[in-house]
Amino acid sequence: MKPLQPLQSPGPRQTLQPLGPLGFFPGAPAAAPAREALGGKVSWGRPLLLVPILVLWVLVYGQLEDFSRVLAFQVLGLEPGSHLGQAVQFFAYDTPKVLLLLALVVFGVGVLRSFFTPARTRRILAGKRESVGNVLAALLGIVTPFCSCSAVPLFIGFVTAGVPLGVTFSFLISAPMVNEIAVVLLYGLLGWKVAAIYMGTGLLVAMGAGWVIGRMGMEEHIEDWVRHIRAGADDCSEGALDLAARVQFGLDAVRDILRRVWKWVVLGIAVGAAIHGYVPEGFMADVMGKGAWWSVPVAVLVGIPMYSNAAGIVPVVHALLEKGAALGTVLAFMMSVIALSLPEAIILRKVLKPRLIVTFFSVVGAGIVLVGYLFNLLF
Amino acid sequence: MEIQVLGPGCPKCHQTLKVVQEALAQAGVVAEVEKVTDFQAIASLGVFATPGVVMDGRVVCSGRVPTHAEVLGWLGK
């Protein structure tokens, strides 16, 4: 497509992207031009700076538990066995822990993401067979940069590039649901097993639901105008980013995501801490325990109209689990809240006819219910 | 010069608009900046990852918020 050639800046296509201001702290001056990157010269200063930061990270992380005890029981003088003491210690331990983990993983994923632009993902998926495509799409959903309002343009881009409908859905399900924020928070608050289970089953739901939708042959339920759009031009070329640019990409991701989610994390952990300290054990067992067979579908149905990002929901999930709710039920609730939402349905309505939206929600909802039952059986 | 900022209206799209306007102000370039929010219009420009920036009909960026320095570069400053 000639008319939409990406603009190349003067030099050959080396470092086109001086990716952002120096420093990654919110207060950093946005106007500071990254001059050294403009010249196309590899700058090693910043990547090397990461080493002492990493060492510091490890040192601080190791001290968090002791720090929280000292703060709660010595500085504040709370009774170790008391409700308030427990709640405060929980909060003082979990908040910095989760934020530190989040910073590290978001940085890593950010660097990884500099390799996977949406355009590249689209190229990889175009022309893939269904089954292979579903698996690949779900996996790419984790690493491709994605913001929820990008869902519709991306959908159009995929479909017009010849990515099969079912494969497109696998991507659209996995991208918001299986993300680094959800996994880090689950790991930080509930341990690596729950994080791995969530990630694994989230991918399975994305692959399975996408495959089923693909089988149903619902292509004619895409809005007509979408099918008439010509295949699009490629996005602006990222060129070959050098290491410094990729590191900058990661730092930008950390700044961007931490700035967006820190208040949710703090709020969520505060709610979690209150429940941890004050709500009696087994409180949720009757309603969300294994004994209540109906709790899985109800949890999914309740979760659909709700919308929250992973940062807000995980601490609540943590608290529910701790008070006796069953793992499968809680995971199903979390997936339903993150993956399916009313606002999403309204946005998707622009490109999908109602029947396909209903099908999409039903298939994904059913997949999540299955996952919920499976885990209630297994654990 | 004609500049279009593409995006349905999420925080990243607003931020893109802001970055572009600030860069224009700093560079002293007079340009018509239009915000395109309609999905159909965005798609027909060939952009499938928002936010996107189009200058005089050419897609210069899509899928992320450009930096101040980048925008200055596109403006030839």
Side-chain angles (χ1 to χ4, degrees), chain A residues 206-241:
Chain A
M207 293 169 192
W211 186 80
V212 169
I213 293 172
R215 291 286 93 185
M216 294 167 105
M218 298 194 70
E219 278 75 8
E220 78 263 32
H221 294 284
I222 300 173
E223 284 292 346
D224 300 321
W225 66 267
V226 176
R227 283 181 288 161
H228 294 139
I229 282 186
R230 59 179 170 68
D234 265 335
D235 302 317
C236 57
S237 162
E238 295 289 322
L241 296 183

PDB file of all heavy atoms in Angstrom, chain A residues 206-241:
ATOM      1  N   ALA A 206      -8.575 -19.234  26.269  1.00  0.00           N
ATOM      2  CA  ALA A 206      -8.413 -18.418  25.065  1.00  0.00           C
ATOM      3  C   ALA A 206      -8.287 -19.294  23.814  1.00  0.00           C
ATOM      4  O   ALA A 206      -8.932 -19.050  22.793  1.00  0.00           O
ATOM      5  CB  ALA A 206      -7.191 -17.508  25.197  1.00  0.00           C
ATOM      6  N   MET A 207      -7.472 -20.329  23.915  1.00  0.00           N
ATOM      7  CA  MET A 207      -7.301 -21.224  22.768  1.00  0.00           C
ATOM      8  C   MET A 207      -8.604 -21.946  22.454  1.00  0.00           C
ATOM      9  O   MET A 207      -9.058 -21.976  21.308  1.00  0.00           O
ATOM     10  CB  MET A 207      -6.218 -22.277  23.064  1.00  0.00           C
ATOM     11  CG  MET A 207      -4.816 -21.720  23.211  1.00  0.00           C
ATOM     12  SD  MET A 207      -3.697 -22.994  23.873  1.00  0.00           S
ATOM     13  CE  MET A 207      -2.271 -21.980  24.269  1.00  0.00           C
ATOM     14  N   GLY A 208      -9.199 -22.550  23.486  1.00  0.00           N
ATOM     15  CA  GLY A 208     -10.406 -23.356  23.289  1.00  0.00           C
ATOM     16  C   GLY A 208     -11.563 -22.519  22.772  1.00  0.00           C
ATOM     17  O   GLY A 208     -12.207 -22.869  21.781  1.00  0.00           O
ATOM     18  N   ALA A 209     -11.821 -21.396  23.434  1.00  0.00           N
ATOM     19  CA  ALA A 209     -12.971 -20.574  23.043  1.00  0.00           C
ATOM     20  C   ALA A 209     -12.780 -20.048  21.621  1.00  0.00           C
ATOM     21  O   ALA A 209     -13.720 -20.047  20.806  1.00  0.00           O
ATOM     22  CB  ALA A 209     -13.153 -19.416  24.020  1.00  0.00           C
ATOM     23  N   GLY A 210     -11.549 -19.631  21.302  1.00  0.00           N
ATOM     24  CA  GLY A 210     -11.279 -19.150  19.955  1.00  0.00           C
ATOM     25  C   GLY A 210     -11.496 -20.247  18.924  1.00  0.00           C
ATOM     26  O   GLY A 210     -12.082 -20.025  17.859  1.00  0.00           O
ATOM     27  N   TRP A 211     -11.062 -21.456  19.269  1.00  0.00           N
ATOM     28  CA  TRP A 211     -11.207 -22.575  18.350  1.00  0.00           C
ATOM     29  C   TRP A 211     -12.689 -22.869  18.110  1.00  0.00           C
ATOM     30  O   TRP A 211     -13.129 -23.052  16.974  1.00  0.00           O
ATOM     31  CB  TRP A 211     -10.497 -23.807  18.925  1.00  0.00           C
ATOM     32  CG  TRP A 211     -10.474 -24.970  17.989  1.00  0.00           C
ATOM     33  CD1 TRP A 211      -9.626 -25.147  16.943  1.00  0.00           C
ATOM     34  CD2 TRP A 211     -11.339 -26.103  18.014  1.00  0.00           C
ATOM     35  NE1 TRP A 211      -9.922 -26.316  16.301  1.00  0.00           N
ATOM     36  CE2 TRP A 211     -10.964 -26.940  16.933  1.00  0.00           C
ATOM     37  CE3 TRP A 211     -12.402 -26.494  18.830  1.00  0.00           C
ATOM     38  CZ2 TRP A 211     -11.604 -28.131  16.660  1.00  0.00           C
ATOM     39  CZ3 TRP A 211     -13.039 -27.686  18.552  1.00  0.00           C
ATOM     40  CH2 TRP A 211     -12.659 -28.504  17.481  1.00  0.00           C
ATOM     41  N   VAL A 212     -13.460 -22.902  19.198  1.00  0.00           N
ATOM     42  CA  VAL A 212     -14.900 -23.184  19.079  1.00  0.00           C
ATOM     43  C   VAL A 212     -15.579 -22.116  18.214  1.00  0.00           C
ATOM     44  O   VAL A 212     -16.355 -22.434  17.303  1.00  0.00           O
ATOM     45  CB  VAL A 212     -15.569 -23.240  20.476  1.00  0.00           C
ATOM     46  CG1 VAL A 212     -17.083 -23.251  20.346  1.00  0.00           C
ATOM     47  CG2 VAL A 212     -15.095 -24.468  21.231  1.00  0.00           C
ATOM     48  N   ILE A 213     -15.261 -20.850  18.473  1.00  0.00           N
ATOM     49  CA  ILE A 213     -15.883 -19.783  17.688  1.00  0.00           C
ATOM     50  C   ILE A 213     -15.499 -19.933  16.214  1.00  0.00           C
ATOM     51  O   ILE A 213     -16.321 -19.740  15.318  1.00  0.00           O
ATOM     52  CB  ILE A 213     -15.479 -18.401  18.238  1.00  0.00           C
ATOM     53  CG1 ILE A 213     -16.081 -18.209  19.631  1.00  0.00           C
ATOM     54  CG2 ILE A 213     -15.937 -17.280  17.311  1.00  0.00           C
ATOM     55  CD1 ILE A 213     -15.614 -16.977  20.366  1.00  0.00           C
ATOM     56  N   GLY A 214     -14.251 -20.320  15.975  1.00  0.00           N
ATOM     57  CA  GLY A 214     -13.812 -20.540  14.605  1.00  0.00           C
ATOM     58  C   GLY A 214     -14.604 -21.643  13.919  1.00  0.00           C
ATOM     59  O   GLY A 214     -14.978 -21.542  12.752  1.00  0.00           O
ATOM     60  N   ARG A 215     -14.889 -22.723  14.676  1.00  0.00           N
ATOM     61  CA  ARG A 215     -15.663 -23.855  14.151  1.00  0.00           C
ATOM     62  C   ARG A 215     -17.064 -23.430  13.736  1.00  0.00           C
ATOM     63  O   ARG A 215     -17.689 -24.030  12.882  1.00  0.00           O
ATOM     64  CB  ARG A 215     -15.820 -24.962  15.206  1.00  0.00           C
ATOM     65  CG  ARG A 215     -14.567 -25.706  15.576  1.00  0.00           C
ATOM     66  CD  ARG A 215     -14.134 -26.645  14.512  1.00  0.00           C
ATOM     67  NE  ARG A 215     -13.183 -25.950  13.649  1.00  0.00           N
ATOM     68  CZ  ARG A 215     -12.659 -26.444  12.548  1.00  0.00           C
ATOM     69  NH1 ARG A 215     -13.012 -27.638  12.151  1.00  0.00           N
ATOM     70  NH2 ARG A 215     -11.808 -25.759  11.847  1.00  0.00           N
ATOM     71  N   MET A 216     -17.591 -22.435  14.417  1.00  0.00           N
ATOM     72  CA  MET A 216     -19.003 -22.092  14.214  1.00  0.00           C
ATOM     73  C   MET A 216     -19.219 -21.310  12.927  1.00  0.00           C
ATOM     74  O   MET A 216     -20.360 -21.090  12.527  1.00  0.00           O
ATOM     75  CB  MET A 216     -19.533 -21.282  15.402  1.00  0.00           C
ATOM     76  CG  MET A 216     -19.557 -22.104  16.677  1.00  0.00           C
ATOM     77  SD  MET A 216     -19.815 -21.078  18.112  1.00  0.00           S
ATOM     78  CE  MET A 216     -21.498 -21.465  18.477  1.00  0.00           C
ATOM     79  N   GLY A 217     -18.151 -20.904  12.280  1.00  0.00           N
ATOM     80  CA  GLY A 217     -18.270 -20.229  10.991  1.00  0.00           C
ATOM     81  C   GLY A 217     -19.176 -19.011  11.045  1.00  0.00           C
ATOM     82  O   GLY A 217     -20.196 -18.936  10.367  1.00  0.00           O
ATOM     83  N   MET A 218     -18.816 -18.046  11.870  1.00  0.00           N
ATOM     84  CA  MET A 218     -19.712 -16.898  12.051  1.00  0.00           C
ATOM     85  C   MET A 218     -19.218 -15.650  11.340  1.00  0.00           C
ATOM     86  O   MET A 218     -19.539 -14.535  11.720  1.00  0.00           O
ATOM     87  CB  MET A 218     -19.887 -16.632  13.540  1.00  0.00           C
ATOM     88  CG  MET A 218     -20.535 -17.802  14.233  1.00  0.00           C
ATOM     89  SD  MET A 218     -21.111 -17.404  15.873  1.00  0.00           S
ATOM     90  CE  MET A 218     -22.491 -16.330  15.541  1.00  0.00           C
ATOM     91  N   GLU A 219     -18.405 -15.855  10.311  1.00  0.00           N
ATOM     92  CA  GLU A 219     -17.807 -14.715   9.625  1.00  0.00           C
ATOM     93  C   GLU A 219     -18.834 -13.686   9.156  1.00  0.00           C
ATOM     94  O   GLU A 219     -18.562 -12.489   9.135  1.00  0.00           O
ATOM     95  CB  GLU A 219     -16.962 -15.177   8.433  1.00  0.00           C
ATOM     96  CG  GLU A 219     -15.557 -15.638   8.802  1.00  0.00           C
ATOM     97  CD  GLU A 219     -15.562 -17.014   9.464  1.00  0.00           C
ATOM     98  OE1 GLU A 219     -16.645 -17.661   9.495  1.00  0.00           O
ATOM     99  OE2 GLU A 219     -14.508 -17.452   9.953  1.00  0.00           O
ATOM    100  N   GLU A 220     -20.029 -14.160   8.782  1.00  0.00           N
ATOM    101  CA  GLU A 220     -21.001 -13.181   8.263  1.00  0.00           C
ATOM    102  C   GLU A 220     -21.607 -12.316   9.366  1.00  0.00           C
ATOM    103  O   GLU A 220     -22.352 -11.383   9.084  1.00  0.00           O
ATOM    104  CB  GLU A 220     -22.103 -13.879   7.449  1.00  0.00           C
ATOM    105  CG  GLU A 220     -23.162 -14.565   8.267  1.00  0.00           C
ATOM    106  CD  GLU A 220     -22.876 -16.057   8.421  1.00  0.00           C
ATOM    107  OE1 GLU A 220     -21.670 -16.448   8.464  1.00  0.00           O
ATOM    108  OE2 GLU A 220     -23.824 -16.833   8.499  1.00  0.00           O
ATOM    109  N   HIS A 221     -21.266 -12.638  10.625  1.00  0.00           N
ATOM    110  CA  HIS A 221     -21.772 -11.794  11.711  1.00  0.00           C
ATOM    111  C   HIS A 221     -20.797 -10.699  12.112  1.00  0.00           C
ATOM    112  O   HIS A 221     -20.960 -10.052  13.144  1.00  0.00           O
ATOM    113  CB  HIS A 221     -22.139 -12.657  12.915  1.00  0.00           C
ATOM    114  CG  HIS A 221     -23.299 -13.559  12.631  1.00  0.00           C
ATOM    115  ND1 HIS A 221     -24.596 -13.111  12.594  1.00  0.00           N
ATOM    116  CD2 HIS A 221     -23.346 -14.872  12.307  1.00  0.00           C
ATOM    117  CE1 HIS A 221     -25.396 -14.119  12.285  1.00  0.00           C
ATOM    118  NE2 HIS A 221     -24.662 -15.194  12.106  1.00  0.00           N
ATOM    119  N   ILE A 222     -19.778 -10.527  11.306  1.00  0.00           N
ATOM    120  CA  ILE A 222     -18.933  -9.340  11.447  1.00  0.00           C
ATOM    121  C   ILE A 222     -19.641  -8.226  10.694  1.00  0.00           C
ATOM    122  O   ILE A 222     -20.208  -8.469   9.629  1.00  0.00           O
ATOM    123  CB  ILE A 222     -17.539  -9.581  10.821  1.00  0.00           C
ATOM    124  CG1 ILE A 222     -16.852 -10.759  11.510  1.00  0.00           C
ATOM    125  CG2 ILE A 222     -16.680  -8.331  10.935  1.00  0.00           C
ATOM    126  CD1 ILE A 222     -15.552 -11.163  10.839  1.00  0.00           C
ATOM    127  N   GLU A 223     -19.608  -7.022  11.237  1.00  0.00           N
ATOM    128  CA  GLU A 223     -20.270  -5.913  10.539  1.00  0.00           C
ATOM    129  C   GLU A 223     -19.722  -5.777   9.113  1.00  0.00           C
ATOM    130  O   GLU A 223     -18.526  -5.929   8.871  1.00  0.00           O
ATOM    131  CB  GLU A 223     -20.060  -4.602  11.310  1.00  0.00           C
ATOM    132  CG  GLU A 223     -20.909  -4.457  12.561  1.00  0.00           C
ATOM    133  CD  GLU A 223     -22.398  -4.302  12.269  1.00  0.00           C
ATOM    134  OE1 GLU A 223     -22.750  -4.039  11.098  1.00  0.00           O
ATOM    135  OE2 GLU A 223     -23.205  -4.447  13.200  1.00  0.00           O
ATOM    136  N   ASP A 224     -20.621  -5.458   8.182  1.00  0.00           N
ATOM    137  CA  ASP A 224     -20.246  -5.496   6.766  1.00  0.00           C
ATOM    138  C   ASP A 224     -19.091  -4.549   6.423  1.00  0.00           C
ATOM    139  O   ASP A 224     -18.208  -4.887   5.646  1.00  0.00           O
ATOM    140  CB  ASP A 224     -21.459  -5.156   5.905  1.00  0.00           C
ATOM    141  CG  ASP A 224     -22.577  -6.158   6.145  1.00  0.00           C
ATOM    142  OD1 ASP A 224     -22.262  -7.347   6.294  1.00  0.00           O
ATOM    143  OD2 ASP A 224     -23.750  -5.733   6.210  1.00  0.00           O
ATOM    144  N   TRP A 225     -19.117  -3.339   7.026  1.00  0.00           N
ATOM    145  CA  TRP A 225     -18.099  -2.369   6.626  1.00  0.00           C
ATOM    146  C   TRP A 225     -16.684  -2.848   6.927  1.00  0.00           C
ATOM    147  O   TRP A 225     -15.742  -2.496   6.234  1.00  0.00           O
ATOM    148  CB  TRP A 225     -18.358  -1.002   7.238  1.00  0.00           C
ATOM    149  CG  TRP A 225     -18.234  -0.931   8.742  1.00  0.00           C
ATOM    150  CD1 TRP A 225     -19.236  -1.082   9.645  1.00  0.00           C
ATOM    151  CD2 TRP A 225     -17.060  -0.682   9.500  1.00  0.00           C
ATOM    152  NE1 TRP A 225     -18.757  -0.955  10.923  1.00  0.00           N
ATOM    153  CE2 TRP A 225     -17.423  -0.707  10.862  1.00  0.00           C
ATOM    154  CE3 TRP A 225     -15.724  -0.449   9.177  1.00  0.00           C
ATOM    155  CZ2 TRP A 225     -16.517  -0.504  11.894  1.00  0.00           C
ATOM    156  CZ3 TRP A 225     -14.815  -0.240  10.205  1.00  0.00           C
ATOM    157  CH2 TRP A 225     -15.211  -0.275  11.546  1.00  0.00           C
ATOM    158  N   VAL A 226     -16.564  -3.684   7.969  1.00  0.00           N
ATOM    159  CA  VAL A 226     -15.232  -4.188   8.317  1.00  0.00           C
ATOM    160  C   VAL A 226     -14.689  -5.043   7.182  1.00  0.00           C
ATOM    161  O   VAL A 226     -13.519  -4.950   6.814  1.00  0.00           O
ATOM    162  CB  VAL A 226     -15.293  -5.044   9.604  1.00  0.00           C
ATOM    163  CG1 VAL A 226     -13.930  -5.651   9.900  1.00  0.00           C
ATOM    164  CG2 VAL A 226     -15.748  -4.192  10.773  1.00  0.00           C
ATOM    165  N   ARG A 227     -15.581  -5.852   6.588  1.00  0.00           N
ATOM    166  CA  ARG A 227     -15.107  -6.772   5.550  1.00  0.00           C
ATOM    167  C   ARG A 227     -14.756  -6.042   4.264  1.00  0.00           C
ATOM    168  O   ARG A 227     -14.109  -6.590   3.390  1.00  0.00           O
ATOM    169  CB  ARG A 227     -16.149  -7.858   5.313  1.00  0.00           C
ATOM    170  CG  ARG A 227     -16.104  -8.892   6.436  1.00  0.00           C
ATOM    171  CD  ARG A 227     -17.086  -9.994   6.223  1.00  0.00           C
ATOM    172  NE  ARG A 227     -18.451  -9.540   6.442  1.00  0.00           N
ATOM    173  CZ  ARG A 227     -19.511 -10.180   5.986  1.00  0.00           C
ATOM    174  NH1 ARG A 227     -19.360 -11.244   5.255  1.00  0.00           N
ATOM    175  NH2 ARG A 227     -20.724  -9.727   6.253  1.00  0.00           N
ATOM    176  N   HIS A 228     -15.234  -4.811   4.158  1.00  0.00           N
ATOM    177  CA  HIS A 228     -14.951  -4.074   2.926  1.00  0.00           C
ATOM    178  C   HIS A 228     -13.694  -3.214   3.002  1.00  0.00           C
ATOM    179  O   HIS A 228     -13.311  -2.566   2.043  1.00  0.00           O
ATOM    180  CB  HIS A 228     -16.154  -3.197   2.554  1.00  0.00           C
ATOM    181  CG  HIS A 228     -17.339  -4.025   2.197  1.00  0.00           C
ATOM    182  ND1 HIS A 228     -18.625  -3.725   2.583  1.00  0.00           N
ATOM    183  CD2 HIS A 228     -17.425  -5.193   1.522  1.00  0.00           C
ATOM    184  CE1 HIS A 228     -19.456  -4.654   2.144  1.00  0.00           C
ATOM    185  NE2 HIS A 228     -18.745  -5.556   1.495  1.00  0.00           N
ATOM    186  N   ILE A 229     -13.107  -3.214   4.179  1.00  0.00           N
ATOM    187  CA  ILE A 229     -11.890  -2.412   4.324  1.00  0.00           C
ATOM    188  C   ILE A 229     -10.722  -3.136   3.685  1.00  0.00           C
ATOM    189  O   ILE A 229     -10.561  -4.335   3.844  1.00  0.00           O
ATOM    190  CB  ILE A 229     -11.620  -2.139   5.807  1.00  0.00           C
ATOM    191  CG1 ILE A 229     -12.558  -1.024   6.258  1.00  0.00           C
ATOM    192  CG2 ILE A 229     -10.168  -1.788   6.049  1.00  0.00           C
ATOM    193  CD1 ILE A 229     -12.323  -0.561   7.639  1.00  0.00           C
ATOM    194  N   ARG A 230      -9.940  -2.395   2.953  1.00  0.00           N
ATOM    195  CA  ARG A 230      -8.792  -3.029   2.310  1.00  0.00           C
ATOM    196  C   ARG A 230      -7.754  -3.380   3.368  1.00  0.00           C
ATOM    197  O   ARG A 230      -7.687  -2.775   4.430  1.00  0.00           O
ATOM    198  CB  ARG A 230      -8.194  -2.068   1.300  1.00  0.00           C
ATOM    199  CG  ARG A 230      -7.774  -0.787   1.977  1.00  0.00           C
ATOM    200  CD  ARG A 230      -7.162   0.182   1.018  1.00  0.00           C
ATOM    201  NE  ARG A 230      -6.996   1.466   1.656  1.00  0.00           N
ATOM    202  CZ  ARG A 230      -6.146   1.698   2.644  1.00  0.00           C
ATOM    203  NH1 ARG A 230      -5.392   0.739   3.102  1.00  0.00           N
ATOM    204  NH2 ARG A 230      -6.039   2.887   3.182  1.00  0.00           N
ATOM    205  N   ALA A 231      -6.967  -4.357   3.052  1.00  0.00           N
ATOM    206  CA  ALA A 231      -5.904  -4.732   3.981  1.00  0.00           C
ATOM    207  C   ALA A 231      -5.017  -3.526   4.226  1.00  0.00           C
ATOM    208  O   ALA A 231      -4.685  -2.798   3.297  1.00  0.00           O
ATOM    209  CB  ALA A 231      -5.079  -5.870   3.404  1.00  0.00           C
ATOM    210  N   GLY A 232      -4.674  -3.311   5.452  1.00  0.00           N
ATOM    211  CA  GLY A 232      -4.014  -2.052   5.802  1.00  0.00           C
ATOM    212  C   GLY A 232      -2.525  -2.049   5.566  1.00  0.00           C
ATOM    213  O   GLY A 232      -1.895  -3.075   5.375  1.00  0.00           O
ATOM    214  N   ALA A 233      -2.004  -0.866   5.585  1.00  0.00           N
ATOM    215  CA  ALA A 233      -0.556  -0.723   5.483  1.00  0.00           C
ATOM    216  C   ALA A 233       0.071  -1.159   6.792  1.00  0.00           C
ATOM    217  O   ALA A 233      -0.586  -1.209   7.815  1.00  0.00           O
ATOM    218  CB  ALA A 233      -0.209   0.733   5.219  1.00  0.00           C
ATOM    219  N   ASP A 234       1.321  -1.438   6.746  1.00  0.00           N
ATOM    220  CA  ASP A 234       2.001  -1.778   7.981  1.00  0.00           C
ATOM    221  C   ASP A 234       2.173  -0.541   8.838  1.00  0.00           C
ATOM    222  O   ASP A 234       2.181   0.574   8.348  1.00  0.00           O
ATOM    223  CB  ASP A 234       3.361  -2.389   7.683  1.00  0.00           C
ATOM    224  CG  ASP A 234       3.261  -3.893   7.671  1.00  0.00           C
ATOM    225  OD1 ASP A 234       2.338  -4.416   8.320  1.00  0.00           O
ATOM    226  OD2 ASP A 234       4.082  -4.541   7.005  1.00  0.00           O
ATOM    227  N   ASP A 235       2.290  -0.785  10.107  1.00  0.00           N
ATOM    228  CA  ASP A 235       2.482   0.346  11.006  1.00  0.00           C
ATOM    229  C   ASP A 235       3.868   0.938  10.782  1.00  0.00           C
ATOM    230  O   ASP A 235       4.686   0.371  10.103  1.00  0.00           O
ATOM    231  CB  ASP A 235       2.359  -0.132  12.435  1.00  0.00           C
ATOM    232  CG  ASP A 235       1.012  -0.771  12.667  1.00  0.00           C
ATOM    233  OD1 ASP A 235       0.009  -0.224  12.188  1.00  0.00           O
ATOM    234  OD2 ASP A 235       0.985  -1.819  13.299  1.00  0.00           O
ATOM    235  N   CYS A 236       4.057   2.051  11.415  1.00  0.00           N
ATOM    236  CA  CYS A 236       5.347   2.691  11.247  1.00  0.00           C
ATOM    237  C   CYS A 236       6.437   1.712  11.642  1.00  0.00           C
ATOM    238  O   CYS A 236       6.337   0.991  12.603  1.00  0.00           O
ATOM    239  CB  CYS A 236       5.449   3.939  12.131  1.00  0.00           C
ATOM    240  SG  CYS A 236       5.185   3.628  13.859  1.00  0.00           S
ATOM    241  N   SER A 237       7.455   1.681  10.858  1.00  0.00           N
ATOM    242  CA  SER A 237       8.507   0.718  11.098  1.00  0.00           C
ATOM    243  C   SER A 237       9.212   1.042  12.408  1.00  0.00           C
ATOM    244  O   SER A 237       9.566   2.179  12.670  1.00  0.00           O
ATOM    245  CB  SER A 237       9.498   0.764   9.956  1.00  0.00           C
ATOM    246  OG  SER A 237      10.705   0.165  10.365  1.00  0.00           O
ATOM    247  N   GLU A 238       9.407   0.034  13.208  1.00  0.00           N
ATOM    248  CA  GLU A 238      10.139   0.258  14.445  1.00  0.00           C
ATOM    249  C   GLU A 238      11.626   0.245  14.150  1.00  0.00           C
ATOM    250  O   GLU A 238      12.436   0.525  15.004  1.00  0.00           O
ATOM    251  CB  GLU A 238       9.811  -0.834  15.450  1.00  0.00           C
ATOM    252  CG  GLU A 238       8.358  -0.835  15.901  1.00  0.00           C
ATOM    253  CD  GLU A 238       8.046   0.350  16.790  1.00  0.00           C
ATOM    254  OE1 GLU A 238       8.903   0.718  17.613  1.00  0.00           O
ATOM    255  OE2 GLU A 238       6.966   0.917  16.665  1.00  0.00           O
ATOM    256  N   GLY A 239      11.986  -0.125  12.961  1.00  0.00           N
ATOM    257  CA  GLY A 239      13.398  -0.251  12.632  1.00  0.00           C
ATOM    258  C   GLY A 239      14.014  -1.301  13.533  1.00  0.00           C
ATOM    259  O   GLY A 239      13.313  -2.089  14.150  1.00  0.00           O
ATOM    260  N   ALA A 240      15.304  -1.329  13.591  1.00  0.00           N
ATOM    261  CA  ALA A 240      15.947  -2.225  14.534  1.00  0.00           C
ATOM    262  C   ALA A 240      16.264  -1.425  15.778  1.00  0.00           C
ATOM    263  O   ALA A 240      17.138  -0.572  15.761  1.00  0.00           O
ATOM    264  CB  ALA A 240      17.202  -2.808  13.913  1.00  0.00           C
ATOM    265  N   LEU A 241      15.546  -1.687  16.840  1.00  0.00           N
ATOM    266  CA  LEU A 241      15.820  -0.964  18.073  1.00  0.00           C
ATOM    267  C   LEU A 241      17.118  -1.497  18.678  1.00  0.00           C
ATOM    268  O   LEU A 241      17.353  -2.692  18.671  1.00  0.00           O
ATOM    269  CB  LEU A 241      14.671  -1.177  19.061  1.00  0.00           C
ATOM    270  CG  LEU A 241      13.307  -0.630  18.673  1.00  0.00           C
ATOM    271  CD1 LEU A 241      12.318  -0.874  19.794  1.00  0.00           C
ATOM    272  CD2 LEU A 241      13.397   0.857  18.389  1.00  0.00           C
TER     273      LEU A 241
END
